[in-house]
Amino acid sequence: MEIKCRCGDKCIKPVSEVLKDIELFYKPCRDCKTEKIRKFSPLAEQINLDEIDNRFGNCKCGKRQLDIVMAHVLKVMIDEGIKDKKANLRNACVPLITPGYLTDYVPFLPENSLVILSSEMNKECAERVIKEVPEVKGVLKGDARKTVGIKDSDSSPHIYELLAGCDLRCDIIQTPYGALGIYKYQHEIHIEFPQVHSPKIEILEKALKDYNNPSVLDCTCGPGSLGITCLKAGARKVVFNDIWHPAIETTLINLEANGFPVKFSGSEEELIASGNNFEVYSTDIRELVNYLDEKYDICIVDTFPGVDTTEFIEAAGKLGKNVVVI
């Protein structure tokens, strides 16, 4: 399967390339500039806004400190009337770096390494941010408190609005079986921030320890993180399923990007694609029993926060010996 970003640019790279020198990706060089900006104090009281442009805080290495980049974004928002001059960095917008990699220092960003999310943004301001702030590759409008995606076939989906640029991001997830790179079109797939230890991965690791080369059904796979973790852990077979088609699209991207070649089935229903030891479906979890004819060692149920999992667990119980709710 050939994978290309919707924007037509080379946003998708093999994860092996993304991980190469990842520890240096956000590191400042000796000449990088820092700016001590108080996040809860009005930006206009700390810096002359007229001085902020793409040269402000820039270094010959091409990186700028995240706070400096956010100050540039906020300056544009103030210019456009989205924010007033009392606005501070903390209430400007949500910064989503890409690749999403946990650092113990404020990251210094190269070009096209940031997607921003704001509930107040408009298209004109977003297009200006993309044009004037080189680190920003995509601008979204939405409420970060609302989860993106769909619960089941009885629910309506919720997505953010992509106002400008490209919002494809890659998150680096650490697992006991090696690091994963998980791509997401962020207006369609829920936001997850990098952690030293992922609670979801820790729950899955405990379940996997009880088996040698298990068969796994990831009933609500999202972008594929947990199922791909199982493949890296040596599962003999993994079935990915999600009712949300954008989740399946990103699962296929992430399988390929993480080194698991995908072959399309030619169908948009039932079996979507497969590989050497995996299959990909897109249906309601309650309908899976109509398509699968075997019992799996582990069935993973990973739903949105606050969702009643009763029906999910019941459906998974018909297909697996051990239902793991994450």
Side-chain angles (χ1 to χ4, degrees):
M1 163 185 164
E2 185 179 4
I3 50 175
K4 293 182 178 179
C5 184
R6 295 173 187 173
C7 74
D9 207 347
K10 298 178 180 179
C11 302
I12 304 171
K13 300 177 181 178
V15 172
S16 57
E17 287 187 24
V18 178
L19 292 174
K20 187 178 180 181
D21 299 326
I22 187 65
E23 293 182 3
L24 301 176
F25 191 80
Y26 296 117
K27 280 262 189 190
C29 74
R30 292 181 179 180
D31 298 319
C32 276
K33 302 173 183 177
T34 60
E35 191 78 29
K36 292 183 179 180
I37 303 173
R38 299 186 300 277
K39 292 183 173 60
F40 290 96
S41 298
L43 179 66
E45 293 180 3
Q46 303 177 65
I47 301 172
N48 181 353
L49 299 186
D50 291 336
E51 295 179 358
I52 302 178
D53 57 18
N54 59 8
R55 297 180 300 276
F56 179 75
N58 200 12
C59 179
K60 61 184 179 183
C61 75
K63 296 180 183 179
R64 290 198 292 179
Q65 187 184 38
L66 175 60
D67 289 350
I68 293 174
V69 175
M70 293 300 293
H72 193 174
V73 171
L74 181 53
K75 185 253 187 181
V76 175
M77 295 175 76
I78 292 172
D79 283 351
E80 290 293 316
I82 302 295
K83 293 285 189 180
D84 61 34
K85 287 198 174 182
K86 293 183 179 179
N88 58 57
L89 290 190
R90 186 60 70 182
N91 63 24
C93 53
V94 179
L96 304 167
I97 63 172
T98 181
Y101 181 74
L102 191 65
T103 66
D104 56 3
Y105 53 86
V106 176
F108 283 69
L109 307 185
E111 289 188 7
N112 297 318
S113 60
L114 184 67
V115 172
I116 59 173
L117 169 66
S118 167
S119 60
E120 302 168 281
M121 188 69 70
N122 62 34
K123 190 169 181 63
E124 291 74 21
C125 185
E127 290 177 345
R128 184 176 164 191
V129 168
I130 290 292
K131 181 179 179 180
E132 297 183 13
V133 187
E135 295 84 2
V136 178
K137 73 185 295 278
V139 180
L140 299 172
K141 181 177 182 179
D143 186 342
R145 296 170 296 181
K146 294 183 178 180
T147 303
V148 171
I150 188 171
K151 171 190 168 185
D152 55 35
S153 57
D154 300 325
S155 305
S156 298
H158 174 70
I159 61 173
Y160 300 140
E161 182 181 1
L162 176 60
L163 294 177
C166 173
D167 66 330
L168 185 70
R169 297 181 54 252
C170 180
D171 283 321
I172 304 302
I173 299 176
Q174 303 295 339
T175 83
Y177 322 103
L180 306 181
I182 299 298
Y183 286 96
K184 302 174 184 178
Y185 289 104
Q186 201 64 84
H187 74 289
E188 296 174 336
I189 302 293
H190 58 281
I191 296 170
E192 291 185 305
F193 293 98
Q195 303 176 66
V196 176
H197 301 291
S198 166
K200 292 184 178 183
I201 297 297
E202 289 178 345
I203 293 170
L204 182 59
E205 181 188 6
K206 289 179 182 178
L208 290 170
K209 283 181 178 178
D210 292 333
Y211 300 90
N212 289 319
N213 309 117
S215 58
V216 180
L217 170 59
D218 191 351
C219 300
T220 49
C221 68
S225 309
L226 297 178
I228 295 173
T229 298
C230 292
L231 287 174
K232 290 182 74 71
R236 72 174 181 275
K237 182 178 181 181
V238 176
V239 172
F240 297 82
N241 176 72
D242 204 293
I243 192 172
W244 185 228
H245 286 289
I248 292 302
E249 178 186 358
T250 52
T251 290
L252 297 175
I253 288 172
N254 289 323
L255 281 163
E256 280 279 349
N258 284 279
F260 299 97
V262 172
K263 181 179 180 181
F264 283 106
S265 67
S267 172
E268 294 185 0
E269 298 179 354
E270 301 179 9
L271 179 63
I272 303 293
S274 61
N276 285 341
N277 54 346
F278 64 85
E279 295 176 349
V280 182
Y281 292 79
S282 183
T283 189
D284 190 302
I285 183 175
R286 296 168 294 189
E287 303 297 325
L288 269 177
V289 69
N290 298 322
Y291 306 116
L292 304 176
D293 57 2
E294 64 178 285
K295 281 272 189 178
Y296 297 85
D297 294 318
I298 300 171
C299 285
I300 304 169
V301 176
D302 179 19
T303 62
F304 294 150
V307 170
D308 184 353
T309 59
T310 304
E311 285 191 78
F312 293 81
I313 294 171
E314 181 181 348
K318 297 175 182 178
L319 291 161
K321 305 168 187 176
N322 180 19
V323 178
V324 178
V325 181
I326 295 179

